[in-house]
Amino acid sequence: MQKKARYSNNAFFDDSKVIIITGASSGIGKAVAQALVRYKPKLVLTARRKRKLYHTANLLKKQKLKVLPIVSDIRNREDRTRIIDLTLKMFGRIDVLINNAGLGKANLFLNQPEEEIDQLIETNILSLIKMTHAVVPIMEEQGGGSIINISSSLAMLPVYPFAVYCATKSAVKVFGDGIRQELKDYGISVSTVLPGPYNTEFNKISGLNDEIVNGKAVDKLAIKIAKLTIKPKNNLIQPRSFIPLLWITEKFGFLKEKITLKIAEQIYKARIANIKKIEFEETKLEEKEIELAVATKTKN
Ligand SMILES: NC(=O)c1ccc[n+]([C@@H]2O[C@H](COP(=O)([O-])OP(=O)(O)OC[C@H]3O[C@@H](n4cnc5c(N)ncnc54)[C@H](OP(=O)(O)O)[C@@H]3O)[C@@H](O)[C@H]2O)c1
């Protein structure tokens, strides 16, 4: 790559900026898309679930934003190429890539099926690296851009029922730190976001009970992430209360084990509560089916 003049982040935003958000059908990705409305960018939104993705896109179109929803699986090479080709065809450039698509699976490593390990690694880290790899030359050609990667505070606080997830998120952080110096010379910034627990579909998909996780609402986090598109930051830790927690655990290794054990216990509790909730719902469903069968028999 040829070195180019440093991309100025002042006046970074005019209404010609083009932003890709992966995983915009729900949770943090959807909230960030909504938080970006004030900057009037052109948005490319991606996810697998068509109905939910189009719902996000329609909300934004109503606010007069130019939006391109692309139904795609980020793990699929052809889908990643299609996202980039369609973005360039429709909007002509890529200024910001928000690598947000991801998932968790709270499982003990001893019980974790290999397919689940594949899914976590392929979605959370492999696709993120490959998407960045495909977009960076385009940004270099344009004279600059911005990469925003969604990691997790668990990247710094590895906990046992979430080990593979933590490993992928730690890799996201290390990857960001690694490419930052190299890409700086081409005017490309790299920000890593490390969220604590937030209330999204993430908990249910991870197999956790929402009430026990007790996460925060995503609105404020989304505003902070949206701001990174104008003012990049190496690391964004949210909520702010996690900053001292991560600092202390980094500084005092002996505390790390105690704190991670406490978090692990909480996650384990949320997992068991979720299993019980599912069993309870299934029993209720079974009872309903029996009632229905009896009612039909009596009728006949
Ligand atoms: N919520 C939290 O407490 C928390 C904390 C730290 C970090 N994070 C991170 O934040 C990011 C967003 O999660 P969230 O909390 O907003 O959860 P979410 O509501 O479940 O959102 C995840 C998004 O990723 C998309 N996605 C998952 N697999 C995909 C695939 N193979 N291809 C394309 N899109 C895919 C989902 O869309 P489809 O299912 O429609 O494809 C969805 O839009 C994740 O990277 C997660 O690890 C979350």
Side-chain angles (χ1 to χ4, degrees):
M1 277 199 295
Q2 285 264 307
K3 284 199 180 186
K4 288 236 168 109
R6 193 163 292 177
Y7 196 60
S8 161
N9 279 313
N10 301 325
F12 181 89
F13 244 103
D14 57 54
D15 67 0
S16 63
K17 298 302 169 195
V18 179
I19 301 179
I20 299 178
I21 308 177
T22 69
S25 58
S26 62
I28 297 172
K30 180 179 178 180
V32 171
Q34 286 172 310
L36 280 165
V37 168
R38 72 191 66 186
Y39 303 123
K40 300 197 178 5
K42 289 165 185 155
L43 284 179
V44 178
L45 308 177
T46 86
R48 293 164 302 176
R49 289 170 298 173
K50 186 176 177 180
R51 203 176 56 79
K52 289 202 168 214
L53 183 67
Y54 275 63
H55 178 69
T56 311
N58 288 336
L59 285 176
L60 299 163
K61 279 181 187 165
K62 277 186 192 147
Q63 306 199 53
K64 311 245 177 305
L65 234 60
K66 285 194 178 134
V67 187
L68 173 64
I70 305 175
V71 177
S72 49
D73 187 331
I74 204 70
R75 292 168 296 176
N76 187 314
R77 181 197 285 266
E78 282 91 52
D79 280 7
R80 289 192 300 270
T81 308
R82 194 160 52 85
I83 293 169
I84 293 166
D85 289 351
L86 284 175
T87 304
L88 292 177
K89 205 169 163 194
M90 178 94 169
F91 297 133
R93 53 187 293 127
I94 302 170
D95 297 291
V96 183
L97 168 65
I98 306 183
N99 281 313
N100 165 74
L103 81 163
K105 290 286 175 193
N107 221 336
L108 295 174
F109 187 57
L110 277 170
N111 299 338
Q112 199 145 33
E114 200 176 290
E115 303 77 58
E116 208 169 275
I117 297 174
D118 285 344
Q119 192 186 9
L120 287 165
I121 293 175
E122 283 170 11
T123 314
N124 294 359
I125 183 68
L126 207 57
S127 305
L128 179 146
I129 292 179
K130 288 181 177 177
M131 196 63 195
T132 308
H133 190 247
V135 162
V136 154
I138 297 163
M139 292 181 169
E140 189 265 336
E141 186 70 24
Q142 290 167 182
S146 187
I147 306 286
I148 300 173
N149 292 330
I150 312 300
S151 171
S152 165
S153 55
L154 293 185
M156 319 276 286
L157 296 167
V159 294
Y160 68 81
F162 241 146
V164 178
Y165 174 75
C166 294
T168 63
K169 290 299 175 177
S170 171
V172 171
K173 161 115 179 71
V174 172
F175 171 64
D177 290 342
I179 58 171
R180 186 172 297 116
Q181 287 301 325
E182 178 189 337
L183 297 183
K184 200 173 159 192
D185 290 337
Y186 305 98
I188 303 169
S189 66
V190 181
S191 305
T192 305
V193 185
L194 299 108
Y198 283 87
N199 268 336
T200 65
E201 291 180 22
F202 177 86
N203 294 329
K204 195 173 162 213
I205 292 166
S206 299
L208 301 174
N209 183 305
D210 254 338
E211 285 151 36
I212 299 206
V213 172
N214 197 16
K216 288 190 172 292
V218 285
D219 331 28
K220 280 188 190 155
L221 169 69
I223 292 170
K224 298 263 184 194
I225 297 175
K227 274 192 186 147
L228 293 177
T229 60
I230 325 171
K231 207 167 179 247
K233 214 173 165 188
N234 290 358
N235 295 295
L236 171 71
I237 300 168
Q238 285 291 312
R240 280 183 69 80
S241 57
F242 269 62
I243 298 173
L245 180 71
L246 295 187
W247 186 82
I248 288 168
T249 47
E250 270 311 287
K251 200 98 182 135
F252 306 104
F254 69 97
L255 276 176
K256 193 165 187 158
E257 209 169 313
K258 282 197 171 161
I259 291 171
T260 50
L261 260 173
K262 274 252 170 286
I263 299 173
E265 276 166 19
Q266 196 67 11
I267 291 176
Y268 203 65
K269 235 169 92 182
R271 187 171 167 263
I272 298 298
N274 193 55
I275 292 170
K276 283 193 179 146
K277 192 174 146 199
I278 292 170
E279 279 172 359
F280 178 67
E281 277 161 8
E282 275 171 2
T283 319
K284 274 205 325 205
L285 212 70
E286 243 173 60
E287 278 169 7
K288 260 211 164 119
E289 275 164 13
I290 294 168
E291 266 173 38
L292 202 75
V294 171
T296 324
K297 243 192 168 164
T298 326
K299 228 173 148 186
N300 294 337

